[in-house]
Amino acid sequence: MGRLLFLFIAFIIFGSQHLAALAVSDSEKYVRAREHMVQSQLSKRGIVDKRVLMAMKKLPRHLFVPKILAFKAYTDSPLPIGEGQTISQPYIVALMTELLELTGSEKVLEIGTGSGYQAAVLSELAKEVVSIEIKEKLCIKARKLLDSLGYTNVEVRCGDGYFGWNKGAPYDAIMLTAAVDHIPPPLLTQLKDGGLLVLPLGNPFSYQNLVLVTKKGDDYKVWQIAGVLFVPMTGHAMQTSGE
C-alpha cells in the first residue's frame, strides 16, 4: 500500500512538472499562431476534415523544428530540420493526412519520420502508427520527442522505409513523405486490400506529383492530386531510381 501511494505521489509530481513544461513552451503566442495557421493556410485552401483541423490546431508544431526556427514554425513553408531533411509546410501535412480518410480505427505506416510532426498528426487520427526514419539521428530524436509528449500509439523505427515494416502489416493506410520515381513494391504488398497510399511520385530531384493510390486485390489505381516538391527518398530507393 505504501509503495502504491509513493508511486501515485511521484506520478502526480512528475506528471505535473511535465504538463507545466509543456504549458510554458506552448505560450498564448503559439496558440494564436496555430489558430491563424488553421484558418488561413488550411481551411481557406479547402481542407475540410474537422479531425485533421483539430489535430493541427492542437499540436505544438514549434517543438518539432529547431529552436532557432521556432518563430517560423507556423508559416506557410517547409523548414530544415537537419540531416538534409525538412518538415513539410502545414498545408501539405494536412492535405496528405486528409487524403487517407482516417476515422480512428486504422493502423498507419509512415515512411520518413523526420522530426516526428507528421507522425504526431497521424497518431491523433489513427489507432496505431508505425513510422520509419532512415537518418538515425533524426529517428532517435523524434522517438524521444514523441515519447516525451505522450504519444504512446506511435512506434518509431530506424531503418530504410523502402522496405516498409512487414512485421506490422497489413496497414490500412501508408504515407511516404519523400520523393521517389516509382512506388516501392513492398509498400503495395503491405497495404491492406482497399487501403490507401499517398506519396510524392516523380523525379526525386525536381517537382513531383502528389498521388493517392488505392489498392483492390492485386490491382491498384493512381490518382494525381497536386504538384509538390519533396526531398528525395534515400537508401534503396536511390539504387533503383530510373529502373
Side-chain angles (χ1 to χ4, degrees):
M1 183 65 180
R3 176 178 171 78
L4 289 175
L5 180 60
F6 171 79
L7 290 174
F8 177 74
I9 293 173
F11 173 79
I12 294 297
I13 294 174
F14 291 107
S16 298
Q17 290 177 344
H18 175 66
L19 291 175
L22 282 179
V24 170
S25 63
D26 193 22
S27 66
E28 183 64 28
K29 174 183 68 175
Y30 290 128
V31 172
R32 290 197 302 270
R34 279 201 300 280
E35 291 175 349
H36 183 264
M37 174 193 77
V38 169
Q39 288 298 319
S40 64
Q41 299 177 38
L42 310 185
S43 294
K44 288 186 177 180
R45 292 188 189 175
I47 301 299
V48 297
D49 189 321
K50 292 182 179 179
R51 297 179 70 240
V52 173
L53 295 174
M54 287 299 295
M56 295 188 65
K57 185 176 180 180
K58 170 186 175 182
L59 285 171
R61 181 178 166 91
H62 58 280
L63 298 182
F64 292 87
V65 302
K67 290 183 179 180
I68 195 172
L69 295 176
F71 73 102
K72 289 187 175 182
Y74 301 102
T75 57
D76 185 25
S77 63
L79 294 172
I81 57 172
E83 301 294 310
Q85 304 302 300
T86 60
I87 181 174
S88 297
Q89 72 187 94
Y91 173 71
I92 294 298
V93 172
L95 177 60
M96 293 181 73
T97 304
E98 185 175 64
L99 287 169
L100 294 182
E101 300 178 358
L102 302 174
T103 63
S105 62
E106 298 86 358
K107 177 188 289 187
V108 180
L109 174 65
E110 181 200 20
I111 309 301
T113 312
S115 67
Y117 179 71
Q118 178 70 81
V121 172
L122 292 170
S123 75
E124 293 282 342
L125 304 170
K127 181 178 181 180
E128 182 180 350
V129 178
V130 178
S131 186
I132 303 177
E133 173 56 53
I134 196 170
K135 305 287 186 180
E136 188 171 5
K137 288 184 179 179
L138 289 180
C139 175
I140 294 172
K141 185 177 181 179
R143 181 188 292 154
K144 289 180 178 178
L145 177 57
L146 290 167
D147 286 346
S148 73
L149 294 176
Y151 289 103
T152 57
N153 63 334
V154 181
E155 179 183 4
V156 179
R157 312 286 309 190
C158 301
D160 192 337
Y162 185 92
F163 303 101
W165 183 247
N166 196 53
K167 186 178 180 180
Y171 299 96
D172 300 287
I174 298 177
M175 178 185 291
L176 201 165
T177 61
V180 64
D181 64 4
H182 63 283
I183 303 173
L187 301 187
L188 288 173
T189 301
Q190 294 171 26
L191 185 63
K192 184 179 293 185
D193 188 23
L196 299 173
L197 164 63
V198 62
L199 74 156
L201 185 64
N203 187 333
F205 302 100
S206 183
Y207 286 92
Q208 307 93 34
N209 285 313
L210 183 65
V211 302
L212 180 67
V213 181
T214 59
K215 181 177 179 181
K216 297 293 183 182
D218 294 328
D219 194 16
Y220 61 92
K221 292 184 178 180
V222 179
W223 307 87
Q224 295 193 11
I225 307 299
V228 290
L229 178 60
F230 276 75
V231 296
M233 188 178 189
T234 57
H236 189 76
M238 285 293 188
Q239 301 173 24
T240 57
S241 180
E243 292 184 0

